[in-house]
Structure formats: C-alpha cells, structure tokens
Amino acid sequence: MTSMTYVRYEVVRNFRVWQFVFFALAWPIIVFFTVTSANRHATFDGIGFPLYFMAGMAAMGTISGVVSRGSLIAAERSIGWTRQMRITPLRAGAYFGAKVLCGYLMALLTVGAMCLAGAMMGVRLSAGHWLAFAGLLLVGLVPFAVLGILLGHLLKPEALLPAVAGTTTLLALLGGAYGFLVATSGPVFEVIRALPSYWLVQAGKTALGHGGWPAEGWIVIAAWTAVLVPLTVLAYRRDTSRV
Amino acid sequence: MAADTTSGGGITLAGLSKSYGAVRAVRSIDLTIAAGETVALLGPNGAGKSTTIDMMLGLTRPDSGRISLFGMPPAEAVAAGVVGGMLQTGSLIPHLSVRELITMVASLYPRPLPVDEVLQLTGTAEFAGRPTGKLSGGQAQRVRFAVALVANSDLLLLDEPTSALDVEGRREFWASMRAVAAQGKTVVFATHYLEEADSYADRIVLIAQGRIVADGSPARIKARVGGRTIRATLPGADLARLAALPGVASADRRGDTVIISSAAPEAALRALLDQYPAARDVEVRGSGLEEAFLALTTDDGDAALPVQEVR
C-alpha cells in the first residue's frame, strides 16, 4: 500500500528545490529560444530546425530531470534517511516509485513547456502528432529513470553531481539534443543509434508521418531498460545488505 | 518478572550472532522481553547494542540465530507497522516543515497517532512550521523521536535516543517516553548512561563485548556495576594484603597512591583506615561504567561467559 500522502509530500519536496525546476524547465526553454531565434527557417536531419531542436531540448531537460532524482536518493542514503524509511512499512518499490514519479511529473511539465515554446517558434503539428511526440518522450525516459536510481546507489553524493551532469550531458550531446550530430554515417553513427538519448530526440520526427519510432528505436529503449534494471536491483541489494 | 518465552506475546532473541570481518560484534545473545516491558540495553560504546537493535529492526542480517517480534520475523513486523525505531545516527530530509514530515511518515503506518498529539508529546509543536533543514541539534533529535513515535507501534526500539540532547532535553524526552510506556508499549532502548537506564527502565540488560553479562532490575544491576574506587596515599603498602581486606575486589598502585576497587566501599574503607592509619588523601569515587564492565568481563576473554543472574 503506497500512501498518497507520502507521494504528495515527496512531490512537494522535489518542487521546492528551485535548482531542479530551473534546470529541468527554464534552462532548456532559454537555450531553445536563444538558438532557434537565429535558425527559425533552417532545416536539420530532414525536418525543420525548430521542430528538431524542440525535441532536442525536451530530451535534454527531461533526461536531466529524471536522472537527477538519483542525487536525491544518494543524499538520503548518506544522511541515513533511507535506513529510517527501511524501518517503516514503506516498500522499496514504493520508495523508488515516488522518486520516479517526481522525475516524470517534472518531465511532463518540461515536455508541455517545450511544446508551447516550439509552437511559438512556428512548429505546427496535428493534435495526434503532439501527443505521439510527448508519449514517445515519456517512454524513452524509462531507462534514464532507472539510470538515476542506479547512480544513486553506486555513488556518494559528492561524486554524484558531476556523474549525473557528465552522463546526461554526454548522452544528450551524442544523441543530438544540442542541434548537431557528431556523425551521420559510419561506425560512430551506429553507436549513436544505440543510445536511448538519440531516440528521445528522434521523437520529433513523429511529424514525418510514421507516428512512432521504427522497430530499432523500441529495441534500443527496451534493451537499455532490460540491462539497467537488474544492475539497479543488484546495486540496491549490495547497498542495503552491507549496512 | 517472568517473561513469556514461547508465544507471540513478546520478543525473543535466540542465539543471535553477528561478525564484521574479524570483529565479533554480537556473540550468541539470548534475550526474552515480555510485552509492555521497558528494557535498557546498557553497555559501553562498541558493546554490540546498535548491532543488536539493527538486527531487531531487520536492517542487519544476523550470521546466526533467530529473532521473533510478537511472533513475527523483523522484516514482517516492520512491514506490519508493529515496530517503530529511532536510529543512532541520521538526519531529516530537507524541504519540508516539521509538521509535513511527521504527516508524511504517519501516512505509512496502518494506525498512526494523530500528528498533533505527537507534536505535543515530543515538544515539537512550537516549531512545527519550521523547515526541517533549519532546526537546532536538539530540535532535530526531538523530531526524529516524533518520527519514531507517530508509528504508534507496539514495540519501540531506540538507539541512544538522548545522545544529541542537553540535560533539559533529556528530561523532557524521558517524560514523553514515560507517557508512551504507560500506554502498554514495549520499549527497548540502548544507552551507555547507567543513570538513564536506572531511572527509566524496568529492567537492565548489560552488554559488553557482544554478550549479555548481566540481566536484572535496575537496583540489582546498580549494586553490581555501581562499585567504588578508593584512592589513598600510602607509600610502600603491600598490595596482596590490601586486596585481602574485607570488601576489596582488587588493589593497584601508582607511585605512592594505592587504588582499591570495591563493591562494598564502607567495609573496605573501615578496614583500610583501621589497618593503615598512615593512609592520607583518602578519596572515594564511583567507578565509571567502563571500569565496571571491565571488572565483569576481563578474566573471561573469549571463553564462554555465564550470564550473571542478579534478579
């Protein structure tokens, strides 16, 4: 039984941290407007630049939003709060569930705000395509949410901040979130296509008509999730058994 | 104080052991606590009190042995909300007010105490609106107690609950603790203060080097560990003769000073002054708890140590 009161206060707590709100919400919007205003009519990767970059900044903001939940977990571990929660009826699944939910609520806000920002910069999509775009982003975030929990159990809080910043920046950069791809063919491109962040950014292509990812995109997201979940369970067990 | 050893009515630890590498933190502890008892686990730092409490809370897995809390293993008892605990270390999560935090924790339990009642009981009501990150050490400690108390659990396990409190804070803490115990809750607390165990427990379990070395009422335990040290300036005294005096447990020398340990200081003092009229600078002091534990445990080392039944 997960208490709704517990979840509510967990969400309240998260949204009171202005840095979290700023980097997940305000930061991508600022970068989006700054870069897009000079490239409003350009095209990139087969679609209009504003659409591409809207997806890119939405990917960057939401990735940072869900992965950084790991730093909360690491902080709560280090101050002994996790141990205090382990002697309550709260189950580990519910504890993580509440953390993931917070990341996702923030992601939902980020996606909404980015869609609005995109529309202001001339992005026009059908209602179905907007929904498909948002939906794909939320599905593509699953492995990142798991990654946040994994990092939260592997690293100490002081190591976690650079680790989260580095990991999310690198994945977003290689995935093309910043409006360029380091390679568009060859072996490097093959590596890029195996990153979940690439497929998050590619969610912007729903407007091209096929409405979703090709099979490859689904496989990459599923494979990363399938690898990260057992690693995370292992890290959690190791962490709680040695106390 | 007959304890129920068989049914689900109380708490049973049987053959409980835990080692960390070469350190044997807990060595085959057997303990039965009846429902409603207030028991102090008294021992010096490193005696194994925290490890025992962590195992009872399901935070640490024993190497061997069994724990039953009202007929349930620890994990099950914790999940059912019949156990509440206050750990020795730990801070509060920030970005919530005291009231919000207590409300949040209360919502995890099937039958929590009303939040306002807990705020009153723990003396946290006056700063209930303050963010948890802006509390003094003593205030935070009281909030941690409130977090444990709001569970309204049948068993409360408290690991050195007053360690961050000043004298006044301690007094208030134990006043609220008494109110809780009066509701028929079972309370087990770890402490290294003899006075605290003496004043607030029905029963004291003495732990040293991972074992129970004595178990009984506070009066009896105090008589056993509350020995005195007599110091006197007495050049050239014969230690063997001193040690043979009535009431003297052992005698030692530092320069011209002799140091006599005694469980019956009046008799020892009378004999000392009678037989050594030259003794000067006589001083009688209560032995520290550490010394008392050493006296109870030193000769035995790793050998099996019989529990001293002193009830």
Side-chain angles (χ1 to χ4, degrees):
Chain A
M1 176 193 73
T2 314
S3 129
M4 280 321 294
T5 309
Y6 173 79
V7 175
R8 181 159 58 89
Y9 281 118
E10 190 66 18
V11 171
V12 165
R13 230 158 68 68
N14 273 269
F15 280 81
R16 281 182 188 164
V17 186
W18 69 265
Q19 293 93 335
F20 172 44
V21 179
F22 180 80
F23 281 103
L25 195 60
W27 180 241
I29 291 172
I30 292 167
V31 177
F32 175 76
F33 278 118
T34 311
V35 175
T36 310
S37 54
N39 300 280
R40 241 184 122 146
H41 305 291
T43 57
F44 183 78
D45 197 23
I47 51 177
F49 183 80
L51 171 59
Y52 181 90
F53 203 54
M54 175 185 83
M57 284 299 101
M60 182 197 77
T62 53
I63 288 174
S64 132
V66 298
V67 178
S68 60
R69 294 313 79 211
S71 55
L72 260 178
I73 293 172
E76 288 174 19
R77 270 172 61 214
S78 74
I79 64 168
W81 185 254
T82 314
R83 271 163 64 84
Q84 186 65 47
M85 287 296 98
R86 281 175 59 210
I87 61 172
T88 72
L90 179 69
R91 289 176 191 282
Y95 173 80
F96 294 124
K99 292 276 182 291
V100 170
L101 180 75
C102 292
Y104 260 87
L105 282 179
M106 195 69 236
L108 214 57
L109 279 182
T110 307
V111 171
M114 284 311 305
C115 287
L116 209 65
M120 287 167 73
M121 278 295 175
V123 174
R124 294 288 174 266
L125 296 179
S126 70
H129 283 151
W130 280 119
L131 280 179
F133 167 66
L136 285 181
L137 277 175
L138 296 181
V139 172
L141 282 173
V142 171
F144 291 99
V146 182
L147 179 67
I149 298 174
L150 175 65
L151 292 176
H153 278 282
L154 281 181
L155 304 172
K156 290 188 172 16
E158 57 271 26
L160 201 92
L161 282 173
V164 166
T167 311
T168 55
T169 307
L170 188 69
L171 284 173
L173 179 79
L174 290 176
Y178 292 109
F180 64 91
L181 285 160
V182 292
T184 48
S185 63
V188 177
F189 187 53
E190 291 309 313
V191 172
I192 288 172
R193 291 174 71 90
L195 296 176
S197 48
Y198 175 78
W199 294 101
L200 272 185
V201 179
Q202 292 297 307
K205 295 220 180 131
T206 48
L208 293 186
H210 31 68
W213 289 316
E216 191 190 350
W218 294 100
I219 290 168
V220 168
I221 297 297
W224 276 79
T225 308
V227 170
L228 287 170
V229 165
L231 283 178
T232 306
V233 171
L234 266 178
Y236 174 75
R237 292 222 176 112
R238 195 194 61 147
D239 194 34
T240 52
S241 67
R242 77 175 159 204
V243 188
Chain B
M1 210 177 299
D4 183 358
T5 51
T6 48
S7 78
I11 293 150
T12 310
L13 315 186
L16 202 63
S17 296
K18 177 73 186 180
S19 295
Y20 294 103
V23 180
R24 295 166 68 196
V26 171
R27 314 181 192 192
S28 193
I29 279 187
D30 293 296
L31 182 63
T32 303
I33 295 169
E37 270 191 294
T38 298
V39 177
L41 301 181
L42 176 66
N45 291 326
K49 306 185 299 288
S50 289
T51 306
T52 303
I53 286 188
D54 282 357
M55 286 192 282
M56 290 171 79
L57 286 167
L59 286 172
T60 299
R61 196 169 302 156
D63 296 336
S64 59
R66 197 177 54 82
I67 299 174
S68 167
L69 309 177
F70 308 113
M72 288 176 270
E76 206 180 298
V78 165
V82 298
V83 184
M86 184 169 168
L87 303 170
Q88 192 177 358
T89 54
S91 313
L92 305 165
I93 44 172
H95 311 301
L96 285 178
S97 72
V98 170
R99 177 186 292 279
E100 287 171 333
L101 183 75
I102 305 299
T103 309
M104 182 184 187
V105 175
S107 75
L108 300 172
Y109 288 92
R111 305 171 308 275
L113 286 179
V115 171
D116 282 312
E117 191 183 323
V118 172
L119 292 173
Q120 287 301 333
L121 201 58
T122 55
T124 49
E126 58 198 272
F127 51 89
R130 198 171 299 171
T132 52
K134 293 185 175 160
L135 302 176
S136 72
Q139 289 174 329
Q141 188 77 348
R142 283 196 246 174
V143 174
R144 293 181 59 224
F145 179 48
V147 164
L149 212 56
V150 78
N152 194 21
S153 54
D154 300 325
L155 171 62
L156 255 182
L157 293 168
L158 310 165
D159 195 354
E160 309 224 349
T162 59
S163 57
L165 298 177
D166 56 18
V167 176
E168 176 67 4
R170 272 165 211 247
R171 204 185 52 72
E172 285 173 9
F173 173 86
W174 287 111
S176 32
M177 200 59 252
R178 276 223 170 103
V180 172
Q183 295 169 357
K185 308 274 184 205
T186 310
V187 179
V188 178
F189 66 93
T191 180
H192 55 261
Y193 299 112
L194 178 59
E195 316 84 80
E196 211 166 76
D198 176 32
S199 310
Y200 303 105
D202 305 328
R203 175 180 163 196
I204 298 178
V205 174
L206 221 77
I207 299 184
Q209 296 170 10
R211 295 176 205 278
I212 296 178
V213 292
D215 182 345
S217 72
R220 295 291 185 81
I221 294 286
K222 218 166 64 162
R224 181 162 291 266
V225 302
R228 300 286 187 273
T229 302
I230 302 169
R231 288 164 166 267
T233 305
L234 195 56
D238 177 359
L239 286 185
R241 211 182 124 203
L242 276 175
L245 290 178
V248 173
S250 66
D252 202 355
R253 187 194 345 251
R254 279 190 208 138
D256 283 344
T257 306
V258 293
I259 300 160
I260 292 167
S261 303
S262 171
E266 296 82 2
L269 201 56
R270 207 169 285 130
L272 175 74
L273 294 176
D274 185 41
Q275 299 198 20
Y276 293 93
R280 291 180 288 116
D281 307 328
V282 179
E283 186 184 299
V284 181
R285 276 201 302 193
S287 308
L289 196 53
E290 303 264 351
E291 289 165 48
F293 283 122
L294 281 177
L296 276 169
T297 55
T298 38
D299 0 305
D300 299 273
D302 269 12
L305 188 70
V307 172
Q308 317 215 3
E309 274 295 345
V310 292
R311 294 194 205 188

